[in-house]
Amino acid sequence: MTDFKRDGSHLSSYPPVEKWDDWVELDPDAWPRRVEKHYQLVPTVCFNCESACGLLAYVDKETGQVTKFEGNPKHPASRGRLCAKGPATITQIHDPDRILYPMKRSGPRGGGKWARTSWDEVLETFGARIRKAFQENRGEEVMYHVGRPGQDHFMDRTTQAWGIDGHNSHTNVCSSSARFGYLLWHYTDRPSPDHANARFILLLSAHLESGHYFNPHAQRIIEGKMAGAKLAVMDPRLSNTASMADYWMPSYPGTEAAVLLAMAMVILGENRFDATFVKNWTNWEELEVDGFSAKGQSFEALIEALKRHYAKFTPEFAEKESGVKAEVIVKTAREIATAGSRFASHLWRGSSSGNLGGWQTARALMLLHVLTGSVGTPGGHSLSAWNKFVPQPFSDPPPQKHWNELLYPLEWPLCTHEMSPLLPHFLKEGRGRLEAYFTRVFNPVWTYPDGFAWIEMLRDEEKVGLHAALTPTWSETAWFADYVLPMGFSSERHDLMSQESYAGRWIGFRQPVLRVLQEREGKKFDYTYQANPGEVWEEDEFWINLSWAIDPDGSMGIRRWFESPYRPGQKLTVDEYYGWMFENSVPGLPEAAAKEGLKPLEYMRKYGAYEVTTDVYKLNEKAVAPAALAGSKVEANGVITKEGKAVGVMVHGEPVVGYNTPSRKLELFSKTMADWQWPEFALPEYYRSHIHQSAQTASMGKSGAEVDQDFDARYMPLVEWPKDAQGEVYTLLPIFRLPHLIHTRSGNSKFLYEIAHKNPLWVSPVDAQKLGDIRTGDLLKVHTEIGFFVLHAWVTEGLAPGVVACSHHMGRWRLDKEDQLERMSSAWVNLQEVGKGQWKMRQISGVESYKTSDPDTQRVWWSDAGVHQNLTFPVHPDPITGMHCWHQMVRVERAGADDRYGDIFVDTNLSFAVYQRWKALTRPAPGPGGLRRPLWIPRMRRPEGAAFYVSKKA
Ligand code: SF4
C-alpha cells in the first residue's frame, strides 16, 4: 500500500513504471474520506493533434473503465507533459452522444435517417463495389481522403496494395505552401528546429501556444528561453505567443517575406553571414539572375550580385510594406546574425497558408538560416526527415501504374500534395466521378472553404456513388454519407507515429487500452471492436478486412499484402504487422526489449514509445558509403552519380551525402522553378499577396494614381464583389487556432468547449471607429466574394488596424435538433437552397443544456456555438503550390435590421467563377521532357516512372 504522507513527500511527478500495474491514488470522489483507488496504467498516444504526445490511460481496476489520461513520462518527445487536449480525451471516450455502431442511411442522402448495420455488411458492400470498379479498370474512382492521418504508413501502403492512385489528403488547406518553400531548398518539406539549444528563436505564427507539434515544441521553446534565448514573433495578432516574445512584429499579412529579405540584406550588407557555409553548402555556382551568371565567377562576385538583386529590400521598404518598424527589423537581423548557427525558427501555416505566394515566406526564412549557417546545427534548423523515423513493414507493394488527375492535375505541376480543395469543382467540370469515397477523420463540409460546393458534390449520387465517413464523432460531412463508421479515439486503436520534435528520432505506439489490458489477463479477441465501447473499430483492422473482402480468393493480387508474414496465406493481424516492424526495422529496439526479457512488441506495449537516436545533426556531412561510391562518377558540378542517380556530392574534396536536391546542396537558385515556367522565382523572392492593400484598393474599382503603381496584377486575381456587398474593405485572418480546440474534432469534449465556444470578429479600436463606433458585442456583417456571414465584434488593441480576425474553430452546426452533432458545441440551423447554388443558413437555436446519461450535459451554461465562416470562402488555389490561400479580402459593415447572429448566405455559382479566375493563373504541365511534375520532388505514394509523363500515360 502507498504510504500517504501529510507533507506530500510521497508525491512524485509521474508514477514510476514499476508501479504501473498497480498504481494507487486517493479517490477524489470520496473526499474527505481517504479511500484508495487502484489503477493499471497503460501507455498510448494522443490523437488530438499531429504531435503524437504520449498518454497514460488510468484504468480503474474495479470497474475496468478508463477514468483519466495523463502524460507518459517515457515518451521522448512529450516527456510526460500534455496540453489541455490530451487529458480531454477522457471526455471524448465517455461522450454519451458518440457513435458506437456502424450506421447506414435509411432515407435519401443527407436526409438524416440512419439504421444500425454490421461490420460484415459494410465490408461486403464496399468489397463488392470496389472489386467491380477494379475489374472494370476504374481504380481511379476509389478514393481515400484523410483529414488527420494519425499514422505513418498503414493507409499509404493500403492504397498501393490496391494498385490505385487513390490517396487524397487535406494538406492543401493546411501546410503545403510552407512545405514547398522548404522543399525547394532541401527536398525535405518541413522544418525541425532545435529550439532547446537555440540562442534566438523566430516564430512566424502563434507556434508556442498552438503550433504544429505544439506541446513537444512549446516545452523546448521555453527551455531555450530559460537558457537565455530571445524570442521574436511575427504575427499581426497579439497572440499569447507574441505576448511572450522579446520582439513582436505585427506585420501586415502577406508581407512577411519582405521583412525576412530585408533582414537578409542587413546580414549580407554588414558582412555578418557565414561565408564558408554558403560557399560549401549552397548551389551558388548555378545562380543566374539579372544578367549575372555565377558560372566561373568568384564567390565574392556572387555575393555582390545577391546584394544588387535584393537591394530594394531595405528596412524602410519592408516597413512600408509590412508596418514593422525599420529599426526593429535591423535589430532583429543583428540578433539573428549574433545567434549564428544557433538560430531556430518555425513557420508552418499562418503567413504561408494565408497568402498567395505564401510559400516565399518559407523560402525567405530559410535564406536567413543559410546565411547564418544554422542548418543541421545544435540550436539551428534541421530537416524533418532527419528527426523522424518511419519503420518499414514486412512488405511494400510496388508503385501504382496510374496517375490520378483528380489528385494531381496538369495545371499545378509543382503542388506538393493533392489538390483536394478543388475536388467538387473538378467533378463539376466533368473530370471524373467517385465510385467509392472514404472520408476519414475528415470534415470538408466544415473545414474546407466552399463547404456548400462540398454538399452539392456529396449529395449527388452520380458524382459520388458510395460514401463512407470513418470518424469517431458526428460531423457536418458524415451527415451526407451513406455509411458512418465509428473509429476509435486515442485509447481505442493501433497506430505507429513519429514526428520531428527535437534533434533525435523516436516512435510512439498508439494502442487500444481495454483490449491490451484484457489480453494481458488472457482474454482473446479477433478484432479491436470486440473490446472497445459498442462496436467502435480501428482503421488498421478495417482496411485489412476490406482488402480481403475486395479480393477474397487472392486472385487480384491484393490480398497477399494483407497476409501474415509468419503464417503464410493467413489474414494479417495487427500484432503481426507491428510486431514484425518492431523486431526487424527499428534499430536497437530488439536489444532494449531483450534486456528486460521482453519481445519488441511487448516492450512497445509496456512503454508506448522508443527513442531511436539522439543528437542528430549535420547528416549532410555524412560520408558516402563505400558501396555507393564504388563505380560512381563525379559530375562537373561535383555531384556524385551512380547508375544515373545522385548519391552524394564532393565538398572540400570529400564525398559526402549532402541533401536530396538535384545539386545535393541547399538550392539558393532553383533550376526547377526556371525549368517549370517560373523563372522569376528561381531565387527567394517577395511578391504581393491577394489581400495586399493595393489589391484592396483595386477591388474598389479605383484606378490610376489611386492604385499603387507597384501592384503587379500578373499574380493576383482581382476580387469581384457581389452586388450586395457593402462596407469598408479589410483583410480577414480566418485561420488562427485556439490552443484547446481540435479543428472539428473537439465538439464532443465538454472540458474543451467549456473553455472556448465563441469566435467573434477581432476589430482594432481604429477600425471600430471607422465602422461607426462599433462596440464589443455589436453585430457585424462580413461580405466575402461569394456571400456573407454575421457575427459579433470584439474590439481589441491586439490586432493591427486594417485587419480583422476570426478563429476557425467555432461555428459547428446541425440540421437536426436532437441528432447529428454534439449539442454542447453546435447550433441547430435551418438550411435552405433558395435558388440554384444559393444557400441560406439561419440559426434556430444556439447551444442549450440537454439530458443524457452524463449529468454534465444538463449543466451546459453557454449558448454561443460561434459562426461558420469557412462556408463563405471561395477556393483560392495558389497557382504554384496549389495551397488554398486562406486570407480573405472582406467588406465589413454594421449588420442590418434583418440580419441575425449566425446568418450565412453563399452563392456557389460565384465560388465556381472565383475558382476559374485563380485557375487561369497557373502555368500547366507538361514540363521538360513531357513530365507532369519534376521527378525529384516528392509525391504522396509515388506512381511508377512512366506515369510521370503526359505522353506516356499509363
Ligand atoms: S499537443 Fe496536446 S493535443 Fe497534441 S498530441 Fe500533445 S497532448 Fe495531444
Side-chain angles (χ1 to χ4, degrees):
M1 184 196 289
T2 306
D3 184 14
F4 293 107
K5 299 197 173 72
R6 291 209 173 271
D7 65 1
S9 58
H10 62 283
L11 295 173
S12 61
S13 297
Y14 302 103
V17 177
E18 54 280 9
K19 293 191 178 174
W20 284 7
D21 278 343
D22 187 24
W23 177 246
V24 187
E25 288 186 356
L26 293 182
D27 181 358
D29 289 337
W31 188 87
R33 288 178 302 124
R34 298 165 69 81
V35 177
E36 288 187 356
K37 260 208 177 293
H38 291 252
Y39 297 95
Q40 286 218 50
L41 310 188
V42 184
T44 185
V45 169
C46 183
F47 197 5
N48 279 345
C49 86
E50 60 284 347
S51 306
C53 298
L55 294 179
L56 267 188
Y58 283 57
V59 184
D60 184 328
K61 286 179 130 178
E62 208 178 310
T63 63
Q65 293 297 308
V66 182
T67 59
K68 65 174 175 177
F69 291 94
E70 294 202 349
N72 175 5
K74 293 293 172 189
H75 190 292
S78 54
R79 303 182 291 194
R81 303 165 202 175
L82 300 173
C83 81
K85 293 171 285 191
T89 303
I90 194 70
T91 58
Q92 296 171 306
I93 66 169
H94 293 318
D95 162 31
D97 284 350
R98 66 177 294 189
I99 313 161
L100 289 173
Y101 299 95
M103 309 291 278
K104 181 182 180 179
R105 75 173 159 92
S106 55
R109 200 183 272 176
K113 296 272 181 286
W114 302 94
R116 186 172 155 184
T117 187
S118 68
W119 283 112
D120 284 346
E121 189 271 326
V122 171
L123 293 170
E124 219 168 273
T125 303
F126 278 86
R129 290 280 281 262
I130 295 172
R131 180 168 57 248
K132 188 160 185 289
F134 289 173
Q135 285 166 342
E136 293 171 359
N137 207 17
R138 293 183 288 117
E140 71 281 0
E141 292 185 7
V142 177
M143 186 179 286
Y144 161 82
H145 203 157
V146 64
R148 169 62 43 226
Q151 51 91 38
D152 268 340
H153 202 280
F154 197 96
M155 196 53 217
D156 312 354
R157 179 181 182 273
T158 299
T159 54
Q160 277 195 322
W162 292 1
I164 59 167
D165 197 20
H167 181 287
N168 207 343
S169 75
H170 73 283
T171 308
N172 262 315
V173 296
C174 177
S175 56
S176 65
S177 190
R179 288 172 189 258
F180 187 69
Y182 287 113
L183 190 149
L184 283 183
W185 273 104
H186 53 41
Y187 178 83
T188 298
D189 68 358
R190 53 178 84 183
S192 179
D194 188 17
H195 292 304
N197 296 305
R199 292 288 166 266
F200 193 87
I201 300 170
L202 172 59
L203 305 176
L204 276 91
S205 63
H207 190 65
L208 177 57
E209 85 205 60
S210 56
H212 209 54
Y213 312 141
F214 167 29
N215 162 44
H217 272 193
Q219 53 184 266
R220 289 171 174 87
I221 291 170
I222 295 300
E223 248 172 67
K225 263 182 82 76
M226 288 172 73
K230 287 213 173 133
L231 177 65
V233 173
M234 208 186 297
D235 190 338
R237 257 182 350 111
L238 181 61
S239 61
N240 292 333
T241 302
S243 72
M244 298 287 289
D246 299 285
Y247 300 97
W248 173 40
M249 292 180 272
S251 48
Y252 185 79
T255 63
E256 295 83 356
V259 176
L260 296 168
L261 291 176
M263 288 177 180
M265 270 303 286
V266 172
I267 295 170
L268 273 171
E270 296 181 357
N271 281 327
R272 298 193 64 190
F273 62 98
D274 184 338
T276 310
F277 183 83
V278 178
K279 195 171 177 181
N280 285 340
W281 279 110
T282 68
N283 68 339
W284 65 271
E285 285 158 303
E286 296 181 3
L287 186 138
E288 288 179 12
V289 68
D290 312 324
F292 170 86
S293 171
K295 202 163 279 162
Q297 300 273 359
S298 67
F299 179 69
E300 290 69 28
L302 173 275
I303 295 298
E304 290 311 311
L306 285 180
K307 286 180 182 170
R308 282 196 301 278
H309 182 70
Y310 290 119
K312 86 167 178 184
F313 292 99
T314 61
E316 292 71 29
F317 170 79
E319 176 177 338
K320 189 162 167 272
E321 284 294 290
S322 68
V324 180
K325 294 269 175 264
E327 61 263 30
V328 175
I329 295 172
V330 173
K331 209 167 170 197
T332 313
R334 288 179 179 152
E335 293 254 28
I336 289 170
T338 302
S341 66
R342 289 186 182 265
F343 163 53
S345 72
H346 202 273
L347 165 68
W348 195 236
R349 301 186 185 102
S351 159
S352 53
S353 300
N355 295 293
L356 174 80
W359 59 282
Q360 290 281 19
T361 313
R363 207 148 174 242
L365 181 59
M366 264 309 292
L367 180 60
L368 292 178
H369 285 291
V370 170
L371 291 176
T372 50
S374 53
V375 183
T377 49
H381 160 103
S382 207
L383 280 61
S384 55
W386 294 1
N387 297 151
K388 180 176 167 105
F389 186 79
V390 183
Q392 292 307 300
F394 64 96
S395 66
D396 209 12
Q400 66 276 20
K401 290 184 169 31
H402 299 279
W403 187 286
N404 191 340
E405 291 191 0
L406 287 177
L407 304 175
Y408 291 91
L410 292 174
E411 290 95 331
W412 286 270
L414 299 174
C415 63
T416 61
H417 284 72
E418 308 89 343
M419 294 300 301
S420 67
L422 306 186
L423 187 60
H425 297 297
F426 290 163
L427 297 195
K428 196 169 186 170
E429 287 177 323
R431 298 191 190 205
R433 69 176 292 276
L434 301 174
E435 171 66 11
Y437 184 47
F438 296 96
T439 50
R440 186 259 172 165
V441 194
F442 180 56
N443 185 11
V445 169
W446 195 90
T447 317
Y448 273 42
D450 214 358
F452 288 123
W454 281 86
I455 291 179
E456 288 172 4
M457 175 189 105
L458 291 172
R459 70 179 182 180
D460 184 340
E461 293 183 37
E462 285 297 306
K463 291 194 173 76
V464 181
L466 194 59
H467 171 202
L470 283 73
T471 172
T473 56
W474 280 105
S475 75
E476 289 81 350
T477 298
W479 199 246
F480 294 93
D482 302 306
Y483 285 82
V484 177
L485 307 180
M487 294 292 156
F489 290 107
S490 315
S491 57
E492 299 166 348
R493 49 185 295 126
H494 288 94
D495 292 299
L496 191 58
M497 289 203 67
S498 176
Q499 299 293 15
E500 53 279 12
S501 318
Y502 61 97
R505 290 175 175 176
W506 56 271
I507 53 170
F509 191 34
R510 189 173 289 133
Q511 51 183 348
V513 167
L514 297 182
R515 177 176 180 174
V516 168
L517 268 189
Q518 292 178 71
E519 285 185 338
R520 273 187 203 164
E521 288 158 6
K523 204 163 170 190
K524 291 268 174 266
F525 297 99
D526 293 325
Y527 298 121
T528 295
Y529 69 73
Q530 295 159 343
N532 272 345
E535 287 183 7
V536 170
W537 211 357
E538 58 171 300
E539 278 98 329
D540 289 0
E541 287 181 347
F542 175 73
W543 297 120
I544 293 168
N545 281 280
L546 181 56
S547 301
W548 274 63
I550 295 168
D551 183 16
D553 59 6
S555 60
M556 298 170 79
I558 291 173
R559 207 186 85 171
R560 68 191 172 109
W561 305 109
F562 302 92
E563 290 173 1
S564 163
Y566 302 102
R567 301 170 297 118
Q570 302 296 302
K571 195 182 285 179
L572 175 68
T573 66
V574 276
D575 274 17
E576 290 170 335
Y577 182 77
Y578 292 106
W580 191 96
M581 272 196 277
F582 297 151
E583 281 165 25
N584 297 287
S585 62
V586 183
L589 175 54
E591 294 76 11
K595 266 194 204 154
E596 300 198 19
L598 298 172
K599 292 184 179 152
L601 178 62
E602 291 169 340
Y603 181 97
M604 290 303 290
R605 290 218 183 278
K606 178 175 177 184
Y607 292 104
Y610 177 72
E611 188 169 55
V612 182
T613 43
T614 56
D615 300 317
V616 179
Y617 297 111
K618 294 201 171 186
L619 294 188
N620 53 309
E621 294 182 0
K622 215 169 99 183
V624 180
L629 266 188
S632 67
K633 65 174 181 175
V634 179
E635 308 289 343
N637 61 358
V639 174
I640 305 165
T641 58
K642 185 173 177 180
E643 293 159 8
K645 283 196 177 144
V647 295
V649 64
M650 297 301 293
V651 173
H652 267 318
E654 298 293 330
V656 291
V657 294
Y659 301 92
N660 273 339
T661 54
S663 63
R664 304 298 285 190
K665 294 199 176 175
L666 296 166
E667 299 224 323
L668 171 64
F669 177 79
S670 174
K671 192 167 174 310
T672 303
M673 292 304 288
D675 288 348
W676 286 78
Q677 307 182 69
W678 296 96
E680 65 269 46
F681 300 139
L683 256 67
E685 301 289 354
Y686 161 68
Y687 62 103
R688 289 174 168 171
S689 168
H690 64 298
I691 43 83
H692 190 269
Q693 279 151 331
S694 54
Q696 295 188 358
T697 311
S699 83
M700 298 300 282
K702 295 179 183 170
S703 59
E706 287 177 80
V707 178
D708 189 325
Q709 292 306 310
D710 285 339
F711 170 44
D712 188 344
R714 270 187 307 168
Y715 309 116
M716 210 182 283
L718 281 181
V719 165
E720 289 177 16
W721 295 111
K723 62 179 182 329
D724 296 336
Q726 300 292 326
E728 299 278 336
V729 182
Y730 291 94
T731 288
L732 169 66
L733 309 184
I735 48 172
F736 70 88
R737 272 175 158 189
L738 299 178
H740 31 265
L741 292 182
I742 314 157
H743 300 297
T744 71
R745 291 188 290 124
S746 36
N748 68 340
S749 171
K750 60 187 179 188
F751 288 180
L752 300 178
Y753 255 79
E754 183 166 21
I755 298 172
H757 40 260
K758 50 175 88 175
N759 61 343
L761 192 74
W762 294 36
V763 184
S764 84
V766 176
D767 293 322
Q769 274 301 317
K770 268 209 302 202
L771 287 165
D773 197 20
I774 293 290
R775 307 286 170 93
T776 292
D778 286 355
L779 267 191
L780 295 174
K781 190 169 187 175
V782 180
H783 298 271
T784 68
E785 295 163 85
I786 63 170
F788 65 78
F789 60 103
V790 178
L791 78 175
H792 293 129
W794 184 49
V795 181
T796 170
E797 301 271 0
L799 190 70
V803 180
V804 291
C806 182
S807 166
H808 85 286
H809 282 296
M810 261 72 68
R812 306 299 305 280
W813 47 268
R814 63 183 195 279
L815 295 171
D816 189 288
K817 187 173 191 308
E818 306 291 336
D819 236 345
Q820 183 189 5
L821 278 182
E822 281 69 18
R823 286 162 275 174
M824 72 182 81
S825 59
S826 62
W828 175 32
V829 301
N830 178 258
L831 177 62
Q832 285 180 299
E833 195 174 5
V834 293
K836 191 169 164 34
Q838 296 184 322
W839 294 86
K840 205 171 167 182
M841 181 182 282
R842 174 157 277 187
Q843 295 191 1
I844 302 168
S845 70
V847 176
E848 292 169 342
S849 60
Y850 54 103
K851 205 167 173 187
T852 64
S853 57
D854 177 0
D856 278 349
T857 58
Q858 285 179 277
R859 299 181 187 120
V860 168
W861 53 266
W862 58 94
S863 56
D864 196 346
V867 179
H868 185 192
Q869 56 178 337
N870 292 4
L871 278 174
T872 68
F873 302 160
V875 291
H876 288 158
D878 182 275
I880 297 175
T881 64
M883 171 81 207
H884 171 63
C885 305
W886 274 103
H887 292 347
Q888 303 286 319
M889 201 189 294
V890 293
R891 297 182 72 172
V892 182
E893 62 172 336
R894 195 183 272 279
D898 294 337
D899 297 320
R900 296 233 304 256
Y901 178 73
D903 276 0
I904 286 169
F905 176 78
V906 169
D907 185 340
T908 57
N909 303 297
L910 295 180
S911 74
F912 190 69
V914 176
Y915 154 67
Q916 299 281 2
R917 287 205 289 278
W918 281 71
K919 187 175 63 168
L921 299 172
T922 61
R923 300 179 188 172
L931 279 168
R932 294 175 183 277
R933 66 193 273 116
L935 287 168
W936 75 275
I937 288 187
R939 212 214 87 159
M940 281 303 291
R941 299 321 287 179
R942 203 176 168 85
E944 67 174 31
F948 274 75
Y949 294 87
V950 177
S951 49
K952 298 182 197 167
K953 191 173 174 184

